[in-house]
Amino acid sequence: MSRYVTTRKIIPIIGIGGVLLGIFGFVLYTKPLWRLQLVQSPFVQFFLPTYRSLRKIADIPYLPYQFTKDDLPVYDITIDVADIAQMNAALPDDFVKGRLTDEYKLTVRAGFAADTYEDRIDIRYRGRGPNHWNAYKKSFHLEFDTENPFHGNTDLKLIIPEDRQYAVEPLNDYRAKKLGLFAPQPWFVRVRLNGEDLGVYHAIPHWSNALMDRNGFGETANIFGIIDLQLNELTGKNFFDPANLSYWEDYTRNADLNPSDTEQLKELLTVIHHASDELYARALPVLVDMEALYDWLIIQTLAASAHQNATVNIILLRNPATGRFQPIPWDAQLYPYHPVNLASHPLIGRTLQNPLFRQEYFKRLRAYVEDPKNLEDDLRFYDETRNQIEHALFKDTAKLPLNFQVTQDLNEDRNLIEQNFKTVQALFAAGREDEILTGEYARHDPKQSVEISEFLRDATKDMITFIKEHPQFRRLNAANNILTIGPGRMVITKTAVLPIGTDLVIQPGTTIFMGEGASLVVYGRVEAHGTATRPIIIRGLTTKPWGSLLIIDRPNRQESIFEYVTMSGGSGFRGHGIIATGMLALHQAGGAIKSSVFENTYDDDAINIKYGRAVIEHNTFKNLFGDAIDLDSVVGEAVVTNNTFGSFGFIADKGNGP
């Protein structure tokens, strides 16, 4: 009888326990904020391991995947158990609203092995949001010995893949690469921690000098972003206001050594936040790589993303070759389609409220969506990425989402990619492209004149003002933006910056005498067509070296032309965050250079071409300080043929070489 009573009592208890467990599970899955609060409870902490085991019952239909193989590389990390305990103890107490700011980032030593690589590294948890570190599976930041980088990486992020919507972040970065916009290309790995399989991770190089140099920007490039802040410190802030400059940091640390780099950022923020519409229209192409900005906007539009806004996920690259900034896609994510809100992002709002910039943006976006091959290619890449990681995700027992949720998310994301693309496509087809934008950005009206550098003032002057200040130049005709100089003897005693968007024609039979340290900076195209009987000569006014003929253009423009030109006694250019090491420097510009002479240089290169096409033939190089020709990240064709080289390097004797 007592056994019967006991059993009769136990059955309801088990039933009630099952109901409570079901309610508990329902809360955990449908109320994420409640879930995070419950996780902090000592009671829940006690039962959490049991619950995590029980919840995997839902993954039983995916059990066969445990016996399949995947091709993801495996990274083995070994950390002392005591160090893991200290890392966990250092985490924020608030698992709901806490942010992993610097004071909570405890770095420890660890072992790392992958493929044939093995070394000791520094490791810590990463990710500002709690989803990166409030569960069993956490995101990591790895730092390698600079003398022994891992596949060229000194820093590497390992991010839980659901935070980047699995294949969505790779797709956004793939679109960037396809458009020609820089974005670090991620890959997927499996991680084992002390021999225990933590499953799939999204791996992506961290911002570093090595990353910049490897991608053609050089070790002096900057990657600016916002320091880690708590949520209450983000409220109401606009980090595009120069008053908030102190919240920015340079991840490459180059600005720590060169404060002028931060001054360049301050000037950009000042123009965005304070400049009149007229000044903004002229200054933006000097300060920002417009090609990169339009490409970034295309990605943001198709992702329907506002996840990179005025307070979070702001990443700006400053290219020292051009002195220009460009936004980098970073954690853009993917959302159901909605118009681009001009009111929510100062750079987007101010740019797309300008009719000419908006027209160019629409032109490029239209070209992308009207080509059906782009959607086919995007979906192909997404499907290939999904196929690469799907089985490994199903095998991942450490992840928080269940497998049916993973499948659902992967399907929904693919549908959104297609729907957003076709929605924008349909708006253009119906002549309703204005509906792609919404809202209006309210510019901050300055109480005093905007303070900008002398270089920027020169680059944004109108042509009439420039000619008054530089009478050596004249307008070719009133209908275009082309200046001309020569023929005859011309003197330029100090650096002259032609107005943005102005091309220059140097007439045959022109000799330009350049003052000590003086450079000629052209934001456009140069035509210097000399002849055998009427060559063009650019040389120093004194025996002191002059600077550089620096051309900063934009991609896909016709190349500059130099024929029967003699350049002598030049060096390079340093100013407005720009570093040019060529006596003739073409940055983001191509050049056809023929039948010319380059001699007596005082900097690294006689000719330096960055991010442009190059045809260099039948030229003579002699008595050079460094290289005759330096081609960096050439875009398209590069032809160097039938040139003659004399003394250079340590052999050269300035002014007396053969």
Side-chain angles (χ1 to χ4, degrees):
M1 182 69 177
S2 60
R3 180 179 301 175
Y4 172 76
V5 172
T6 302
T7 303
R8 188 170 57 181
K9 290 180 179 179
I10 289 175
I11 291 175
I13 292 173
I14 293 174
I16 293 171
V19 171
L20 291 175
L21 184 62
I23 294 173
F24 180 63
F26 176 79
V27 169
L28 290 184
Y29 282 117
T30 61
K31 302 292 184 181
L33 287 179
W34 290 10
R35 180 179 72 231
L36 293 176
Q37 290 170 336
L38 283 169
V39 164
Q40 297 178 88
S41 163
F43 177 81
V44 172
Q45 287 289 332
F46 179 80
F47 285 104
L48 202 53
T50 302
Y51 169 72
R52 282 175 174 153
S53 299
L54 290 174
R55 65 192 289 274
K56 291 299 180 179
I57 293 174
D59 283 343
I60 287 178
Y62 296 85
L63 182 61
Y65 288 104
Q66 296 295 331
F67 304 98
T68 63
K69 293 183 178 180
D70 61 76
D71 296 325
L72 298 185
V74 177
Y75 293 177
D76 275 296
I77 299 172
T78 307
I79 309 176
D80 189 276
V81 175
D83 288 336
I84 294 176
Q86 289 183 2
M87 292 169 68
N88 291 338
L91 290 171
D93 293 330
D94 190 341
F95 275 28
V96 180
K97 297 180 180 180
R99 307 277 285 185
L100 192 65
T101 49
D102 287 344
E103 63 267 31
Y104 300 110
K105 297 175 182 177
L106 177 64
T107 299
V108 302
R109 294 291 284 172
F112 179 86
D115 302 324
T116 59
Y117 183 96
E118 186 172 354
D119 203 355
R120 297 289 292 174
I121 65 169
D122 288 336
I123 190 169
R124 61 172 173 82
Y125 296 138
R126 70 149 312 276
R128 298 175 187 175
N131 62 307
H132 288 283
W133 40 264
N134 65 10
Y136 174 67
K137 182 175 178 177
K138 297 174 172 62
S139 297
F140 298 97
H141 181 108
L142 281 55
E143 296 181 18
F144 301 90
D145 189 332
T146 55
E147 299 300 320
N148 187 26
F150 175 62
H151 296 327
N153 296 298
T154 56
D155 299 77
L156 189 66
K157 302 182 182 79
L158 297 176
I159 303 173
I160 54 174
E162 60 268 28
D163 179 73
R164 300 307 168 100
Q165 293 178 274
Y166 306 107
V168 166
E169 180 91 343
L171 173 66
N172 287 333
D173 292 337
Y174 174 72
R175 279 174 164 169
K177 183 178 180 180
K178 185 163 60 169
L179 290 165
L181 174 65
F182 168 71
Q185 301 299 308
W187 63 95
F188 289 92
V189 302
R190 282 175 44 221
V191 173
R192 285 197 296 245
L193 177 60
N194 293 342
E196 184 175 359
D197 193 347
L198 292 184
V200 181
Y201 276 83
H202 176 107
I204 189 166
H206 182 63
W207 317 117
S208 66
N209 302 87
L211 178 66
M212 293 295 94
D213 194 38
R214 195 165 64 249
N215 285 276
F217 296 103
E219 292 185 346
T220 59
N222 308 102
I223 294 288
F224 288 106
I226 304 303
I227 62 175
D228 290 338
L229 295 169
Q230 297 295 341
L231 285 176
N232 62 326
E233 296 177 280
L234 293 172
T235 304
K237 279 194 171 60
N238 173 8
F239 292 113
F240 286 87
D241 182 343
N244 291 321
L245 181 66
S246 61
Y247 292 101
W248 290 78
E249 66 176 326
D250 178 13
Y251 295 120
T252 67
R253 301 303 174 204
N254 286 323
D256 296 345
L257 302 174
N258 300 293
S260 62
D261 295 351
T262 304
E263 288 300 311
Q264 305 303 315
L265 174 63
K266 181 180 179 181
E267 185 166 62
L268 172 66
L269 301 182
T270 298
V271 167
I272 293 173
H273 195 65
H274 292 296
S276 66
D277 291 340
E278 181 182 1
L279 176 59
Y280 185 84
R282 293 186 64 80
L284 193 66
V286 179
L287 300 172
V288 172
D289 184 330
M290 297 302 294
E291 308 284 328
L293 178 58
Y294 292 131
D295 292 339
W296 178 74
L297 285 168
I298 289 172
I299 294 168
Q300 300 298 307
T301 303
L302 295 178
S305 175
H307 207 241
Q308 287 188 276
N309 52 51
T311 58
V312 296
N313 297 319
I314 308 169
I315 304 291
L316 295 177
L317 184 158
R318 191 195 67 86
N319 186 345
T322 62
R324 288 168 167 157
F325 290 83
Q326 62 186 71
I328 297 178
W330 175 249
D331 200 9
Q333 300 200 357
L334 175 70
Y335 299 89
Y337 178 79
H338 59 79
V340 177
N341 187 354
L342 303 186
S344 65
H345 196 296
L347 178 59
I348 295 175
R350 295 221 62 188
T351 300
L352 295 185
Q353 283 173 191
N354 177 282
L356 293 178
F357 296 153
R358 182 171 63 249
Q359 181 182 4
E360 185 64 21
Y361 157 72
F362 280 152
K363 174 185 172 182
R364 292 164 184 262
L365 179 60
R366 178 194 291 270
Y368 192 90
V369 298
E370 286 187 348
D371 185 351
K373 292 182 180 179
N374 279 323
L375 179 58
E376 293 172 10
D377 185 55
D378 292 344
L379 292 176
R380 175 200 58 77
F381 178 86
Y382 182 88
D383 291 340
E384 288 179 355
T385 305
R386 175 176 181 169
N387 291 337
Q388 177 192 8
I389 63 174
E390 191 168 40
H391 287 189
L393 287 170
F394 291 157
K395 292 165 56 177
D396 184 349
T397 59
K399 68 183 184 298
L400 191 61
L402 296 173
N403 285 334
F404 79 88
Q405 294 174 298
V406 172
T407 301
Q408 179 178 302
D409 291 343
L410 288 168
N411 291 337
E412 288 181 356
D413 289 341
R414 191 186 193 281
N415 290 335
L416 282 179
I417 293 165
E418 186 171 12
Q419 291 169 11
N420 289 358
F421 188 101
K422 290 183 175 180
T423 298
V424 175
Q425 186 183 63
L427 289 172
F428 277 115
R432 297 162 50 200
E433 57 263 32
D434 286 343
E435 296 179 24
I436 294 172
L437 308 178
T438 189
E440 182 176 355
Y441 182 75
R443 178 178 69 87
H444 177 77
D445 292 321
K447 296 180 180 178
Q448 56 188 15
S449 60
V450 177
E451 293 185 9
I452 58 176
S453 64
E454 181 180 357
F455 185 98
L456 186 58
R457 282 198 300 272
D458 289 342
T460 55
K461 285 175 181 173
D462 61 83
M463 195 174 292
I464 294 174
T465 301
F466 176 84
I467 293 172
K468 286 181 180 179
E469 296 178 355
H470 302 274
Q472 310 96 316
F473 299 86
R474 65 183 187 279
R475 200 164 189 172
L476 197 62
N477 63 64
N480 56 37
N481 290 329
I482 302 176
L483 288 172
T484 185
I485 187 171
R489 296 163 61 91
M490 302 290 163
V491 177
I492 298 176
T493 58
K494 64 178 184 178
T495 295
V497 182
L498 272 63
I500 182 75
T502 302
D503 294 337
L504 174 65
V505 174
I506 304 176
Q507 298 292 342
T510 300
T511 298
I512 302 176
F513 294 93
M514 303 292 295
E516 180 183 354
S519 294
L520 183 58
V521 182
V522 182
Y523 280 96
R525 181 172 172 268
V526 173
E527 283 191 16
H529 282 285
T531 67
T533 57
R534 302 185 69 203
I536 293 168
I537 300 172
I538 305 175
R539 53 160 296 172
L541 180 63
T542 69
T543 58
K544 300 291 186 180
W546 55 279
S548 173
L549 172 49
L550 170 60
I551 300 167
I552 303 176
D553 204 2
R554 58 185 188 274
N556 303 318
R557 286 252 290 165
Q558 186 178 358
E559 67 270 11
S560 291
I561 305 295
F562 293 86
E563 289 184 325
Y564 292 100
V565 175
T566 295
M567 297 182 69
S568 176
S571 55
F573 176 81
R574 308 288 192 279
H576 203 250
I578 302 168
I579 299 174
T581 59
M583 178 168 61
L584 175 59
L586 293 90
H587 293 185
Q588 211 168 62
I593 305 165
K594 304 176 182 180
S595 304
S596 296
V597 177
F598 299 87
E599 60 185 5
N600 305 323
T601 59
Y602 290 85
D603 209 326
D604 287 354
D605 314 308
I607 298 173
N608 183 229
I609 297 181
K610 298 181 187 292
Y611 324 118
R613 297 181 298 274
V615 178
I616 304 173
E617 55 188 12
H618 302 292
N619 302 291
T620 299
F621 299 87
K622 59 184 180 180
N623 201 32
L624 306 180
F625 175 81
D627 297 334
I629 303 167
D630 192 352
L631 306 178
D632 294 322
S633 302
V634 169
V635 177
E637 185 181 40
V639 177
V640 180
T641 182
N642 294 320
N643 297 286
T644 302
F645 301 92
S647 299
F648 59 93
F650 291 107
I651 301 172
D653 179 13
K654 297 293 176 292
N656 298 309

